[in-house]
PDB file of all heavy atoms in Angstrom:
ATOM      1  N   GLY A  85      10.132  63.022 -19.576  1.00 98.00           N
ATOM      2  CA  GLY A  85      10.957  62.109 -18.828  1.00 98.00           C
ATOM      3  C   GLY A  85      12.442  62.154 -19.173  1.00 98.00           C
ATOM      4  O   GLY A  85      13.132  61.115 -19.193  1.00 98.00           O
ATOM      5  N   SER A  86      12.955  63.401 -19.376  1.00 98.00           N
ATOM      6  CA  SER A  86      14.373  63.528 -19.777  1.00 98.00           C
ATOM      7  C   SER A  86      15.381  62.798 -18.862  1.00 98.00           C
ATOM      8  O   SER A  86      16.375  62.357 -19.319  1.00 98.00           O
ATOM      9  CB  SER A  86      14.788  65.028 -19.829  1.00 98.00           C
ATOM     10  OG  SER A  86      13.766  65.790 -20.372  1.00 98.00           O
ATOM     11  N   GLY A  87      15.031  62.825 -17.590  1.00 98.00           N
ATOM     12  CA  GLY A  87      15.922  62.261 -16.594  1.00 98.00           C
ATOM     13  C   GLY A  87      16.214  60.795 -16.851  1.00 98.00           C
ATOM     14  O   GLY A  87      17.325  60.289 -16.470  1.00 98.00           O
ATOM     15  N   ALA A  88      15.343  60.115 -17.577  1.00 98.00           N
ATOM     16  CA  ALA A  88      15.552  58.684 -17.841  1.00 98.00           C
ATOM     17  C   ALA A  88      16.709  58.424 -18.793  1.00 98.00           C
ATOM     18  O   ALA A  88      17.382  57.395 -18.694  1.00 98.00           O
ATOM     19  CB  ALA A  88      14.276  58.068 -18.403  1.00 98.00           C
ATOM     20  N   TYR A  89      16.948  59.355 -19.722  1.00 98.00           N
ATOM     21  CA  TYR A  89      17.991  59.148 -20.706  1.00 98.00           C
ATOM     22  C   TYR A  89      19.038  60.228 -20.683  1.00 98.00           C
ATOM     23  O   TYR A  89      19.752  60.398 -21.696  1.00 98.00           O
ATOM     24  CB  TYR A  89      17.331  59.018 -22.118  1.00 98.00           C
ATOM     25  CG  TYR A  89      16.222  59.955 -22.369  1.00 98.00           C
ATOM     26  CD1 TYR A  89      16.369  61.199 -22.904  1.00 98.00           C
ATOM     27  CD2 TYR A  89      14.846  59.541 -22.058  1.00 98.00           C
ATOM     28  CE1 TYR A  89      15.286  62.059 -23.115  1.00 98.00           C
ATOM     29  CE2 TYR A  89      13.757  60.378 -22.296  1.00 98.00           C
ATOM     30  CZ  TYR A  89      14.005  61.612 -22.779  1.00 98.00           C
ATOM     31  OH  TYR A  89      12.963  62.424 -22.970  1.00 98.00           O
ATOM     32  N   ASP A  90      19.192  60.965 -19.598  1.00 98.00           N
ATOM     33  CA  ASP A  90      20.183  61.942 -19.408  1.00 98.00           C
ATOM     34  C   ASP A  90      21.489  61.231 -18.945  1.00 98.00           C
ATOM     35  O   ASP A  90      21.453  60.481 -17.977  1.00 98.00           O
ATOM     36  CB  ASP A  90      19.728  62.951 -18.308  1.00 98.00           C
ATOM     37  CG  ASP A  90      20.822  63.962 -17.955  1.00 98.00           C
ATOM     38  OD1 ASP A  90      21.988  63.835 -18.407  1.00 98.00           O
ATOM     39  OD2 ASP A  90      20.476  64.882 -17.119  1.00 98.00           O
ATOM     40  N   GLU A  91      22.560  61.406 -19.624  1.00 97.00           N
ATOM     41  CA  GLU A  91      23.832  60.728 -19.270  1.00 97.00           C
ATOM     42  C   GLU A  91      24.253  60.926 -17.817  1.00 97.00           C
ATOM     43  O   GLU A  91      24.922  60.159 -17.184  1.00 97.00           O
ATOM     44  CB  GLU A  91      24.982  61.072 -20.219  1.00 97.00           C
ATOM     45  CG  GLU A  91      24.720  60.879 -21.711  1.00 97.00           C
ATOM     46  CD  GLU A  91      25.193  59.508 -22.214  1.00 97.00           C
ATOM     47  OE1 GLU A  91      26.116  58.955 -21.666  1.00 97.00           O
ATOM     48  OE2 GLU A  91      24.576  59.033 -23.217  1.00 97.00           O
ATOM     49  N   GLN A  92      23.818  62.131 -17.333  1.00 97.00           N
ATOM     50  CA  GLN A  92      24.141  62.482 -15.906  1.00 97.00           C
ATOM     51  C   GLN A  92      22.953  62.205 -14.997  1.00 97.00           C
ATOM     52  O   GLN A  92      22.932  62.685 -13.858  1.00 97.00           O
ATOM     53  CB  GLN A  92      24.570  63.962 -15.819  1.00 97.00           C
ATOM     54  CG  GLN A  92      25.846  64.329 -16.580  1.00 97.00           C
ATOM     55  CD  GLN A  92      26.988  63.440 -16.240  1.00 97.00           C
ATOM     56  OE1 GLN A  92      27.139  63.012 -15.114  1.00 97.00           O
ATOM     57  NE2 GLN A  92      27.730  62.979 -17.261  1.00 97.00           N
ATOM     58  N   GLY A  93      22.012  61.484 -15.502  1.00 98.00           N
ATOM     59  CA  GLY A  93      20.823  61.152 -14.669  1.00 98.00           C
ATOM     60  C   GLY A  93      21.142  60.344 -13.430  1.00 98.00           C
ATOM     61  O   GLY A  93      22.224  59.791 -13.317  1.00 98.00           O
ATOM     62  N   ILE A  94      20.176  60.261 -12.546  1.00 98.00           N
ATOM     63  CA  ILE A  94      20.406  59.595 -11.257  1.00 98.00           C
ATOM     64  C   ILE A  94      20.715  58.105 -11.426  1.00 98.00           C
ATOM     65  O   ILE A  94      21.591  57.493 -10.810  1.00 98.00           O
ATOM     66  CB  ILE A  94      19.249  59.802 -10.270  1.00 98.00           C
ATOM     67  CG1 ILE A  94      19.518  59.128  -8.933  1.00 98.00           C
ATOM     68  CG2 ILE A  94      17.875  59.420 -10.841  1.00 98.00           C
ATOM     69  CD1 ILE A  94      20.705  59.604  -8.178  1.00 98.00           C
TER      70      ILE A  94
END
Side-chain angles (χ1 to χ4, degrees):
S86 318
Y89 39 89
D90 175 356
E91 305 266 334
Q92 296 309 320
I94 179 63

